[in-house]
Amino acid sequence: MTQPLMELVQVDKSFGSTRALNAVSMKVEAGKILCLLGDNGAGKSTLIKVLSGYHQPTAGKLLFEGRETRFASPREARQGGIATVHQDVGSIPLMSVGRNFFLGAEPVRGRWPFRSIDTQRANKVAVEQMQKFGLTRVRSGDQLVGTMSGGERQVLAIGRAMYFGAKMLILDEPTSALGVKEASMVLKMMRVARQNGVAIVFITHNARHAMSVGDNFVVLIQGEVAASFARGEKSREEVLNLMAGGEDMAELEEDLEQID
Ligand SMILES: Nc1ncnc2c1ncn2[C@@H]1O[C@H](COP(=O)(O)OP(=O)(O)O)[C@@H](O)[C@H]1O
Ligand SMILES: [Mg+2]
């Protein structure tokens, strides 16, 4: 087996007396999609905040490219090649597509103190890249982000992370607010990222979305890894059961019948 890009070993994260993560161990591999499943309050957000340098573990180890690492900040994690795409991506609808693509990494022109952002070049590169991602509806970098659909914004965010060389992509519920067509566009983009060797952590509530792209699955229940398996090792029904918080659906139905 090849070395995982990131590995968590027995990671705990507590907030006062709340233990949000309890001895979590998992591996994130390059060129694989890891689906992170779990109910509200299971610890998913806390886990991705540990992966992205926003939180430091209370105990346990984090290995990045085989070396024990401590990301002191999200900035440090980003510099290491870890990109996080939040659900509310592109929440600045009045920003131009070109600005949004570069977000603080715009090409500059001239020398200080006459240095300025090269808007034309930024727009040109942004539009070229978006055409590559399949966002053919966007023709001008001056177009506002607010004119793009939710799915297009997710695709843009994933493509941008790839363009800037992300090794690991954390996607927090990227498909949950989308219609079928939009969601499939985002899932397709995730497959493209995988093909490019990016390690993807995909947080979702949608078992169908998870099963359609996932290579590996981790189910969190109350901060603990309740199940961890590879594609094909469990049926769709078993996954649904696990996602329902470890309750066995068949047993649940039997109980209900008895009540009737
Ligand atoms: N910053 C925080 N301070 C205190 N408690 C927190 C904080 N973040 C999360 N928690 C608690 O940790 C647990 C897991 O939360 P979270 O990671 O947000 O779950 P999920 O994303 O799966 O819904 C919850 O009990 C939550 O209240
Ligand atoms: Mg959450």
Side-chain angles (χ1 to χ4, degrees):
M1 205 185 115
T2 52
Q3 171 186 286
L5 181 69
M6 172 105 81
E7 184 170 1
L8 300 189
V9 184
Q10 299 281 313
V11 165
D12 290 349
K13 179 65 188 177
S14 299
F15 300 103
S17 60
T18 305
R19 205 163 208 200
L21 296 177
N22 192 356
V24 170
S25 295
M26 66 176 213
K27 292 173 181 168
V28 185
E29 294 171 62
K32 293 270 157 86
I33 298 177
L34 172 71
C35 297
L36 186 58
L37 312 169
D39 230 336
N40 279 332
K44 302 182 300 297
S45 293
T46 304
L47 183 52
I48 64 173
K49 284 174 182 165
V50 167
L51 296 176
S52 61
Y54 188 90
H55 285 322
Q56 282 69 49
T58 311
K61 277 197 303 194
L62 208 149
L63 306 176
F64 187 65
E65 297 180 321
R67 262 175 309 226
E68 189 165 348
T69 309
R70 231 177 157 78
F71 294 122
S73 65
R75 191 197 165 100
E76 252 186 51
R78 264 200 308 277
Q79 283 166 347
I82 297 166
T84 309
V85 177
H86 295 283
Q87 208 173 355
D88 59 353
V89 62
S91 58
I92 317 171
L94 292 181
M95 187 185 262
S96 79
V97 161
R99 280 305 297 275
N100 184 73
F101 189 84
F102 285 97
L103 279 182
E106 287 93 344
V108 290
R109 187 171 62 179
R111 271 170 183 276
W112 190 88
F114 302 108
R115 197 151 62 179
S116 64
I117 289 172
D118 189 344
T119 306
Q120 265 187 3
R121 204 173 108 66
N123 283 350
K124 186 168 173 285
V125 174
V127 172
E128 271 171 16
Q129 290 303 312
M130 277 186 279
Q131 300 285 329
K132 266 198 215 164
F133 310 153
L135 299 179
T136 47
R137 227 163 54 81
V138 182
R139 294 259 162 74
S140 156
D142 286 325
Q143 197 174 322
L144 300 182
V145 171
T147 63
M148 295 174 78
S149 70
E152 287 173 332
R153 291 183 208 186
Q154 285 288 339
V155 168
L156 170 62
I158 295 169
R160 181 217 286 142
M162 281 163 61
Y163 178 79
F164 285 106
K167 293 177 185 168
M168 181 168 146
L169 196 55
I170 301 170
L171 306 173
D172 194 2
E173 301 264 2
T175 56
S176 63
L178 306 178
V180 176
K181 238 182 163 168
E182 291 262 295
S184 79
M185 179 170 91
V186 175
L187 293 169
K188 201 167 131 195
M189 191 66 183
M190 287 170 59
R191 293 194 186 99
V192 172
R194 167 171 59 192
Q195 239 161 34
N196 278 273
V198 179
I200 299 168
V201 180
F202 175 30
I203 293 105
T204 182
H205 269 97
N206 189 312
R208 188 179 308 165
H209 293 171
M211 305 280 291
S212 81
V213 295
D215 296 299
N216 296 297
F217 301 81
V218 166
V219 183
L220 280 183
I221 297 179
Q222 292 181 0
E224 294 187 22
V225 176
S228 173
F229 51 95
R231 181 182 196 87
E233 283 178 3
K234 286 195 195 300
S235 69
R236 198 173 122 74
E237 201 174 22
E238 285 172 300
V239 176
L240 279 170
N241 282 343
L242 281 164
M243 286 177 75
E247 301 253 25
D248 190 302
M249 291 287 204
E251 268 178 33
L252 209 69
E253 272 163 30
E254 267 175 30
D255 288 349
L256 287 173
E257 269 167 23
Q258 277 167 17
I259 293 168
D260 278 346

